[in-house]
């Protein structure tokens, strides 16, 4: 997911996307623990996407307060 795509979304959409990524992260951790994880690179990708969304959401909320 690109930062430019994330910036076009509303705060509610960002919250929804963050929730779905956190669920996916949980499922990936569960798969890793049980030895069923096939795409190991997806763990890192999801983690970075979560960080991107949190950063952009914080920027947007700081922009509204200023």
């Amino acid at each position: 997911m690109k930062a430019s795509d994330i910036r076009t979304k509303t705060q509610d959409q960002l919250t929804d996307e963050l929730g779905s990524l956190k669920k996916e992260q949980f499922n990936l951790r569960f798969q890793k623990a049980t030895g069923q994880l096939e795409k190991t690179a997806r763990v890192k990708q999801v983690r970075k996407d979560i960080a991107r969304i949190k950063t952009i959401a914080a920027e947007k909320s700081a922009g509204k307060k200023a």
Side-chain angles (χ1 to χ4, degrees):
M1 183 178 301
K2 293 189 176 191
S4 59
D5 297 336
I6 297 171
R7 289 184 196 281
T8 60
K9 295 184 178 188
T10 65
Q11 195 70 26
D12 290 335
Q13 290 173 327
L14 291 177
T15 305
D16 293 341
E17 186 70 28
L18 185 62
S20 67
L21 284 171
K22 286 194 175 220
K23 285 179 187 178
E24 183 178 356
Q25 184 182 36
F26 173 79
N27 289 332
L28 290 171
R29 273 189 283 148
F30 195 85
Q31 288 175 7
K32 183 178 180 185
T34 58
Q36 297 176 345
L37 184 62
E38 293 179 8
K39 295 181 180 179
T40 56
R42 184 70 181 139
V43 175
K44 186 176 180 181
Q45 188 179 14
V46 168
R47 226 175 49 230
K48 286 187 175 191
D49 285 346
I50 289 172
R52 261 189 212 107
I53 289 176
K54 283 185 172 183
T55 301
I56 292 172
E59 287 174 359
K60 284 187 175 191
S61 66
K64 287 183 180 177
K65 291 179 183 175

